[in-house]
Amino acid sequence: MTKKRALIYALIASLLAILVYVQFRTWRNFDWAVFRKQTDQVFSTHGLLHIFGGIACTYFAYVLRSLRWRIFLRPVKKTTTASLLAPTIIGFTGLALLGRPGEMIRPYLIARKENLSLSSQLAVWTVERIFDVGAFATLLVIAIFFAQGPRQLGEYYGKFREGGLLLIALVAGLIIAMLVIARVGDVVANWVERRFAHHATGLGHKIAARVREFRGGLNTIHGFSELAQLIAVSLVLWYSVALAYQQITGAYGVSVLSLPVSQVLLLMASSMIGSLVQLPGVGGGSQLAIITTLQHVFKVPRELALSCGILLWLVTFMSVIPLGLALAHRERLSIRGLSKETAVEGDKV
């Protein structure tokens, strides 16, 4: 581990420690007996069916991610969704175990398996992130402005509407940026390279490289048909993730956690914001954000909120690990070794 990465982890750990301490001060009277009783509810037949339903929806999302990547590759490489599924699952296993350092494993494995350049797959990965943000933002905006669920949250609804307006502006900005880079990406990259050439060592070059990668990813979208397919798959993918969340909250069999999908999307948004502060294999920020949102926005008792927050993290983020490790073992791959290989190859791009 480099000194820079160690420092980043130390800062994140410190921030998480502060957040945990604040939660501890708030929850001094936390009742662990109640927590165990409510957690035991999910091991009933009703609860287990919901948990398996949540895992099924989570794995279906991985299938959709493989399908979407196949659509991206269609202009340059004919492949199958099944062929891309193992690299996808192993890649998300690396992300779950290693955090951000494992994020590049998926494009690296796909590039190696399909005999493509890593830079081309990093370009696809970059564009994929845009489709993820756009699809989730679209579902969230629809939920905020057109569904009844968020309106039932009283004082928080006004804040959600303000957030929805910001999301609309964000999606509009992303669309404009995509159009500009698609048309004059090289011009933008060259300008960035010159503009930041003297500000920091290699900064201008790195930003310009990311711009060129992004443009390369956009070039994989050949025509309206591919664009429509990518949008449709992205929307179904994130709706599937929302259904996974709904299955887990429904596993407890209590009315306060019987959330419609429109409210589940709000819970997912809090998780994404919290995920900006994560430790590899541990998480932290995402769980705290979900627990806090359940308690304060959805008025869930703190013991139940803690139990549900942990279970959501285990099912939607960590449940990929057993299958991912099994696939990696079958293909004689080491997750940590892949992370190191990816870092070395990434430096060459």
Side-chain angles (χ1 to χ4, degrees), residues 7 89 97-98 101 125 178 211 259 267 270 316 319 322 334:
L7 178 60
I89 291 176
L97 291 174
L98 304 177
W125 178 86
M178 288 175 64
V211 172
L259 306 179
L267 188 61
S270 72
T316 62
S319 66
S334 162

Side-chain angles (χ1 to χ4, degrees), residues 55-317:
I55 294 174
C57 290
T58 300
Y59 272 75
F60 181 58
Y62 296 135
V63 175
L64 291 174
R65 286 191 178 278
S66 303
L67 170 61
R68 186 172 61 180
W69 205 290
R70 180 176 70 82
I71 297 172
F72 277 121
L73 292 183
R74 188 179 294 160
V76 295
K77 181 78 174 185
K78 299 297 182 183
T79 185
T80 64
T81 302
S83 177
L84 298 174
L85 186 56
T88 297
I89 291 176
I90 294 172
F92 275 96
T93 299
L95 179 62
L97 291 174
L98 304 177
R100 299 306 177 198
E103 203 162 30
M104 294 295 103
I105 290 177
R106 181 163 53 115
Y108 172 72
L109 283 177
I110 292 175
R112 194 168 74 173
K113 186 168 187 176
E114 301 297 334
N115 294 317
L116 297 167
S117 67
L118 177 59
S119 61
S120 70
Q121 299 316 290
L122 290 177
V124 171
W125 178 86
T126 303
V127 177
E128 185 195 48
R129 300 278 70 74
I130 300 297
F131 276 88
D132 280 337
V133 172
F136 179 73
T138 299
L139 292 175
L140 189 57
V141 166
I142 292 173
I144 291 172
F145 290 101
F146 299 102
Q148 291 298 317
R151 299 174 189 271
Q152 299 170 1
L153 298 176
E155 59 183 296
Y156 291 97
Y157 180 62
K159 296 179 181 179
F160 292 140
R161 285 181 62 88
E162 294 173 2
L165 293 173
L166 289 175
L167 279 174
I168 292 173
L170 172 63
V171 172
L174 289 174
I175 292 173
I176 293 172
M178 288 175 64
L179 293 174
V180 170
I181 293 176
R183 290 181 176 274
V184 292
D186 285 335
V187 175
V188 173
N190 292 335
W191 178 85
V192 167
E193 208 159 19
R194 291 193 304 270
R195 177 68 178 80
F196 294 95
H198 305 292
H199 283 69
T201 304
L203 177 62
H205 176 71
K206 290 178 181 178
I207 298 175
R210 299 293 84 79
V211 172
R212 293 188 181 103
E213 282 179 5
F214 185 48
R215 190 190 184 199
L218 290 175
N219 288 338
T220 63
I221 307 173
H222 284 211
F224 179 78
S225 175
E226 278 83 6
L227 178 61
Q229 291 175 45
L230 290 167
I231 292 173
V233 171
S234 299
L235 289 171
V236 175
L237 188 161
W238 282 100
Y239 193 81
S240 177
V241 176
L243 290 179
Y245 270 67
Q246 188 183 45
Q247 286 292 315
I248 299 309
T249 57
Y252 290 86
V254 294
S255 59
V256 72
L257 284 177
S258 297
L259 306 179
V261 173
S262 59
Q263 291 184 357
V264 167
L265 288 166
L266 299 174
L267 188 61
M268 289 169 61
S270 72
S271 173
M272 291 178 180
I273 294 172
S275 67
L276 298 176
V277 183
Q278 297 283 91
L279 285 174
V282 177
S286 177
Q287 298 94 300
L288 286 174
I290 287 177
I291 293 165
T292 301
T293 303
L294 285 171
Q295 186 184 4
H296 295 288
V297 178
F298 295 97
K299 310 303 180 185
V300 177
R302 56 192 175 187
E303 292 84 5
L304 185 57
L306 176 61
S307 176
C308 186
I310 294 173
L311 189 60
L312 280 169
W313 173 68
L314 289 173
V315 171
T316 62
F317 190 64

